């Protein structure tokens, strides 16, 4: 008997099965998705009219569910931001090795991170720092014994499996990574993703360079400054970085996949980067609601749940969207 018709029959049955299984709760959830993803909101870019409509809709839904306002007498909290957009045509990347300059194609080989960095040119030697983690609680320090003063750190996202996930995640955050890099004296960072752990295809990562990144207008709220340049490198072109080094990128990946300690070493190349930013003030709103608990003992403790409304603004930091909102 032929089995060829079976996949076709399954394709016909799955939509009907999904429809029959849909609960009222699922339908209510999907109704919110339809509203927020509607083309009428034009992508909900931070501070745009579409975003304001989305925020108002969410505030209305919180009120309808009996959730109390969490921003004074209302749900909307005004926030002043600064939009940072890379001027792509005036920015460039290159490797310098053995007196030879090797241009990198922005978008194909690598991108310059939008959230962190300064306008101007950076020329600095590269140092591979393993996973680039400093976790005192676990006795782990990828920067120990390395001279990173005035240099650019190259790191591979991930971390030792024996370190608890929550602890590793905390020290992989943008703020903690930058603190560690600054303490070590680094002026920049190049981030690499293990292809086996990719969350987003490189094409999507590369396209993020055209989107604005948002930072707080109030400097006292910004905790991640201090690096002159951040770069996300396409892992499929990473051997360009490791050419002439003591270890190839293939060797590094093999050790990472086997959960073995990664080598740390000076690389024979320098990074040459030039970036120019277009800055603009933006005013947007948070939507804040509070659902009080019933336990008097825990009344002063809070569980914070967050979600993102904007689609247009990306915040890749050291955590790149790809690099999974790598550095962060």
């Amino acid at each position: 008997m032929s089995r060829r018709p079976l996949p076709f029959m399954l394709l016909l049955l799955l939509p009907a099965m999904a429809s029959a299984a849909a609960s009222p709760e699922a339908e209510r959830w999907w109704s919110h998705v339809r509203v927020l993803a509607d083309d009428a909101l034009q992508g909900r870019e931070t501070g745009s009219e579409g975003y304001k409509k989305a925020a108002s809709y969410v505030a209305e839904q919180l009120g309808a569910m009996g959730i109390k306002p969490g921003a004074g007498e209302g749900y909307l909290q005004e926030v002043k931001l600064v939009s940072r957009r890379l001027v792509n045509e005036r920015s460039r990347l290159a490797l310098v090795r053995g007196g030879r300059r090797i241009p990198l194609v922005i978008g194909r080989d690598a991108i310059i991170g939008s959230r962190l960095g300064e306008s101007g040119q950076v020329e600095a030697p590269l140092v591979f720092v393993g996973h680039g983690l400093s976790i005192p609680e676990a006795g782990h320090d990828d920067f120990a014994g390395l001279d990173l003063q005035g240099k650019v750190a190259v790191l591979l996202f991930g971390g030792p499996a024996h370190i608890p996930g929550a602890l590793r995640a905390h020290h992989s955050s943008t703020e903690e990574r930058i603190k560690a890099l600054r303490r070590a004296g680094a002026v920049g960072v190049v981030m690499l993703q293990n292809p086996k752990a990719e969350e987003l295809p490189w094409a999507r990562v590369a396209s993020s360079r055209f989107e604005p990144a948002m930072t707080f207008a109030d400097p006292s709220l910004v905790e991640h400054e201090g690096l002159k340049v951040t770069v996300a490198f396409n892992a499929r072109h990473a051997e360009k970085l490791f050419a002439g080094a003591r270890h190839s990128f293939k060797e590094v990946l093999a050790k990472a996949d086997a959960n073995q300690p990664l080598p740390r070493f000076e690389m024979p190349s320098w990074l040459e980067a030039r970036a120019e930013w277009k800055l603009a003030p933006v005013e947007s709103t948070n939507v804040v609601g509070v659902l009080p608990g019933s336990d008097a003992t825990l009344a002063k403790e809070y569980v914070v749940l967050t979600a993102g409304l904007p689609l247009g603004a990306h915040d890749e930091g050291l955590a790149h969207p790809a690099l999974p909102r790598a550095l962060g």
Side-chain angles (χ1 to χ4, degrees), residues 37-196:
D38 195 282
D39 288 346
L41 300 188
Q42 300 177 327
R44 310 191 303 280
E45 184 167 324
T46 304
S48 67
E49 286 301 315
Y51 176 86
K52 293 176 183 177
K53 291 178 181 178
S56 296
Y57 173 80
V58 172
E60 290 172 4
Q61 298 306 308
L62 292 181
M65 289 187 288
I67 296 176
K68 296 183 178 181
E73 297 182 357
Y75 296 96
L76 303 182
Q77 177 190 49
E78 298 298 322
V79 182
K80 292 186 177 181
L81 305 166
V82 175
S83 167
R84 287 167 50 93
R85 193 185 295 270
L86 185 70
V87 182
N88 195 63
E89 61 274 16
R90 297 183 185 176
S91 302
R92 64 176 182 267
L93 290 169
L95 296 175
V96 179
R97 184 167 53 245
R100 179 181 168 218
R101 186 176 182 276
I102 307 163
L104 298 174
V105 179
I106 294 181
R108 186 187 69 186
D109 295 318
I111 61 170
I112 299 174
S114 299
R115 184 181 175 193
L116 306 173
E118 304 172 0
S119 290
Q121 183 147 323
V122 174
E123 295 181 26
L126 297 169
V127 180
F128 184 69
V129 297
H131 292 302
L133 293 174
S134 178
I135 309 178
E137 301 92 325
H140 180 90
D141 188 359
D142 284 326
F143 305 106
L146 291 179
D147 176 14
L148 278 173
Q149 196 65 42
K151 300 176 182 179
V152 172
V154 179
L155 63 85
L156 177 70
F157 280 106
H162 70 273
I163 298 177
L167 185 62
R168 191 169 67 242
H170 169 69
H171 286 279
S172 296
S173 69
T174 300
E175 289 75 15
E176 293 302 314
R177 280 192 186 275
I178 292 177
K179 287 178 185 177
L181 288 165
R182 290 181 63 186
R183 283 196 303 268
V187 296
V189 61
V190 174
M191 301 167 284
L192 289 161
Q193 181 78 345
N194 188 327
K196 290 186 177 180

